[in-house]
Amino acid sequence: LVQRTVGVVVAGLHIGIGITLCFSYIMFNRVFEEFAKSGSLPVILAVWMPNIIFAIIGIYLYRKAPK
């Protein structure tokens, strides 16, 4: 029973991390879009920056995942 409960908790944690990453990607996208509109960053850099950041996060998490 304890092992099953731990598995449910871990699965819930992973879902929570995934939802948090999704919302943070959207937030980063909106923030960098405003940087592009205001001219603070070059447009090409501003639109690609969230993708670059989350590609690095994704590669890190992929390498850290159990095999």
Side-chain angles (χ1 to χ4, degrees), residues 40-55:
S40 299
L41 284 174
V43 175
I44 193 73
L45 179 64
V47 297
W48 275 98
M49 190 60 70
N51 295 325
I52 294 168
I53 291 169
F54 280 87

Side-chain angles (χ1 to χ4, degrees), residues 10-24 54 57 61:
V10 170
L13 178 66
H14 290 163
I15 290 171
I17 291 171
I19 290 172
T20 302
L21 284 173
C22 290
F23 282 118
S24 63
F54 280 87
I57 292 170
L61 291 174

Side-chain angles (χ1 to χ4, degrees), residues 25-39:
Y25 175 78
I26 293 169
M27 184 195 67
F28 269 90
N29 207 6
R30 301 289 169 118
V31 168
F32 280 101
E33 181 180 331
E34 292 301 320
F35 283 151
K37 287 180 183 176
S38 70

Side-chain angles (χ1 to χ4, degrees), residues 1-13:
L1 181 65
V2 172
Q3 186 178 13
R4 184 175 179 173
T5 305
V6 170
V8 170
V9 170
V10 170
L13 178 66

